[in-house]
Amino acid sequence: MAQPALPDDLLEEIFLRLPTANDLARASMACVSFRRVITGHPFLRRFRILHPPPLLGFLCGNLIPAQPPHPSAAAAATFANTDFSCSFLPPSVDCWCLREVRDGRALFSPALEGCSDDYNPRDLVREFAVCDPLHRRYLLLPAIPDDLANQVHQPDIVECEPFLAPPGDGEEDSSFRVMCLVRYRAGIVLFIFSSYAGQWLADPVTFDMFGGWASQRYYAHGCFCWEISRADKLLVLDTRRMEFSAINLPPAPGRAMRHMAIVEAGEGRFGMFTISDQIKYGESHLLYAVQCMDGNGAGQWQSKSVISLPANYRYGIMGVAGGYLFLYGYPKDDREVVDYFSLNLQTFKIEWFFQTGDYIMLGDLYADFPPPLSPPTI
């Protein structure tokens, strides 16, 4: 006598408890009913909340994938034939330049100064394309309207930084936003495109900038964060309220330039990793601190952990993605290679990721689920 089939809602609860995306992909191949449930958009949205897409590699032209024995190596290998250059984009007078990747999408803009692989960060970029490399889809955005662009005087621009952002409150889960942060001498202007509305929003967000230079961008708990050098400040953009604010940072641990990253800690707090070579001579460590939230500790950071890094390297932080902190290490024995490492943000386990020649790569970290679990994002 045949056993009755399990209802879809019970199957979903079972599949949500699988520990990794690779386990889920294998389950989807067991039978047609499993695949139907697992590849459905409602289930994948729930799974992504509980299990962030894993870090697969580094985009530097093509994908440089995680190498064995790293746990992401098998999933990364499934992206070997993906066109991350998005050569399917229509031709542009100025060559398309990759600006960022996030949530399976890639943001491109024209170089503005002829056909080159780079762009002038002081140019006010007004045209963008958002691509889905895995499914070879793209969306050409309307240009930033004149009445918005004219709010910034081109000669005063210090940097134009476009990036992808999650949808806003009340927007569909499948939608996205493109933000264009323009830093000028006296402050900041943020232009916002909503794919849900299909247009650039009429009212840009502004903020009076303080002295210093903004560092690499990080995302945690719905906020984008930048360290402001020489100010011991963290510039925070809350994408839910669309407001800027500033948070105090502790002094840098003995370095002329702080090597740090912002991550998600518990209870909606920020966590911060900083590289230190001051604890023991000749050794490097990661210092982990968490932002205090109580009234007496406002703007303070509480030290939580000190993590030893593999010996005989000079380290730097490259970014955060897919539940990992990504670091590079220059060998102190002058070998002409650079090794890259990942730190699991849940277990604090450090693992070798891959190796390149004697150069630091410039590009983007790439995190995603294997193709069967990645529906189109555009």
Side-chain angles (χ1 to χ4, degrees):
M1 180 176 175
Q3 294 292 323
L6 294 175
D8 288 356
D9 57 350
L10 184 55
L11 286 174
E12 286 194 11
E13 295 303 320
I14 294 172
F15 294 145
L16 283 175
R17 286 161 173 77
L18 293 176
T20 69
N22 285 338
D23 297 325
L24 192 63
R26 285 191 289 269
S28 71
M29 295 184 287
C31 64
V32 174
S33 60
F34 282 14
R35 183 176 180 83
R36 174 178 51 79
V37 172
I38 289 172
T39 59
H41 286 208
F43 172 78
L44 287 177
R45 282 196 296 270
R46 295 181 65 194
F47 190 83
R48 282 174 176 267
I49 293 173
L50 296 174
H51 309 275
L55 175 63
L56 301 178
F58 197 85
L59 277 180
C60 185
N62 294 316
L63 181 69
I64 304 175
Q67 295 297 308
H70 196 277
S72 294
T78 64
F79 288 80
N81 297 320
T82 302
D83 181 9
F84 286 104
S85 67
C86 296
S87 60
F88 49 86
L89 271 170
S92 171
V93 174
D94 299 297
C95 290
W96 292 109
C97 291
L98 178 65
R99 307 301 292 261
E100 189 191 35
V101 291
R102 176 181 295 275
D103 298 332
R105 302 182 183 95
L107 177 65
F108 287 81
S109 71
L112 297 185
E113 292 191 352
C115 192
S116 86
D117 293 332
D118 208 347
Y119 52 85
N120 185 347
R122 300 188 64 173
D123 283 329
L124 175 58
V125 181
R126 299 180 59 179
E127 298 178 1
F128 299 94
V130 178
C131 301
D132 180 338
L134 191 58
H135 297 92
R136 299 182 63 83
R137 298 184 178 188
Y138 68 88
L139 175 67
L140 298 178
L141 274 56
I144 296 178
D146 291 341
D147 61 320
L148 293 179
N150 291 339
Q151 296 186 34
V152 180
H153 188 219
Q154 176 70 50
D156 291 336
I157 294 176
V158 175
E159 184 180 14
C160 177
E161 180 183 355
F163 54 95
L164 291 160
D169 290 341
E171 298 183 345
E172 296 177 354
D173 291 341
S174 58
S175 61
F176 61 89
R177 289 180 288 181
V178 173
M179 298 186 177
C180 186
L181 183 72
V182 181
R183 298 187 187 94
Y184 60 101
R185 296 173 186 174
I188 289 174
V189 175
L190 181 71
F191 302 116
I192 305 164
F193 173 85
S194 165
S195 69
Y196 182 76
Q199 62 184 4
W200 293 91
L201 303 186
D203 297 317
V205 182
T206 60
F207 186 71
D208 292 333
M209 187 70 168
F210 34 82
W213 191 261
S215 69
Q216 182 174 350
R217 182 180 62 257
Y218 292 96
Y219 182 78
H221 292 307
C223 297
F224 288 101
C225 307
W226 298 260
E227 180 201 2
I228 304 302
S229 62
R230 302 190 304 275
D232 284 337
K233 297 282 187 181
L234 190 70
L235 178 66
V236 178
L237 169 64
D238 188 324
T239 63
R240 296 152 298 192
R241 297 196 298 265
M242 293 313 304
E243 294 177 354
F244 283 102
S245 62
I247 296 175
N248 291 327
L249 290 174
R255 285 177 175 241
M257 180 179 293
R258 189 195 316 258
H259 286 244
M260 60 161 284
I262 297 297
V263 299
E264 293 185 350
E267 301 176 346
R269 298 178 295 174
F270 293 146
M272 178 173 62
F273 284 98
T274 309
I275 293 178
S276 172
D277 52 12
Q278 303 296 306
I279 295 176
K280 186 175 181 181
Y281 179 77
E283 296 184 6
S284 295
H285 295 79
L286 277 173
L287 310 182
Y288 180 56
V290 173
Q291 178 193 19
C292 296
M293 299 293 286
D294 62 283
N296 295 326
Q300 300 299 312
W301 295 79
Q302 182 179 4
S303 177
K304 290 291 187 179
S305 300
V306 177
I307 305 164
S308 297
L309 294 172
N312 301 317
Y313 289 94
R314 295 183 292 272
Y315 286 95
I317 294 175
M318 299 194 69
V320 176
Y324 289 95
L325 177 75
F326 197 63
L327 307 103
Y328 66 82
Y330 267 118
K332 291 183 178 179
D333 59 7
D334 295 327
R335 286 180 293 137
E336 295 185 354
V337 297
V338 178
D339 286 301
Y340 297 80
F341 302 87
S342 66
L343 174 79
N344 187 305
L345 296 179
Q346 296 297 319
T347 65
F348 287 0
K349 182 180 180 180
I350 298 175
E351 297 173 286
W352 182 82
F353 202 84
F354 56 58
Q355 185 181 84
T356 64
D358 187 17
Y359 57 89
I360 299 294
M361 297 182 300
L362 298 177
D364 295 270
L365 298 177
Y366 187 77
D368 206 349
F369 285 126
L373 309 180
S374 296
T377 60
I378 296 176

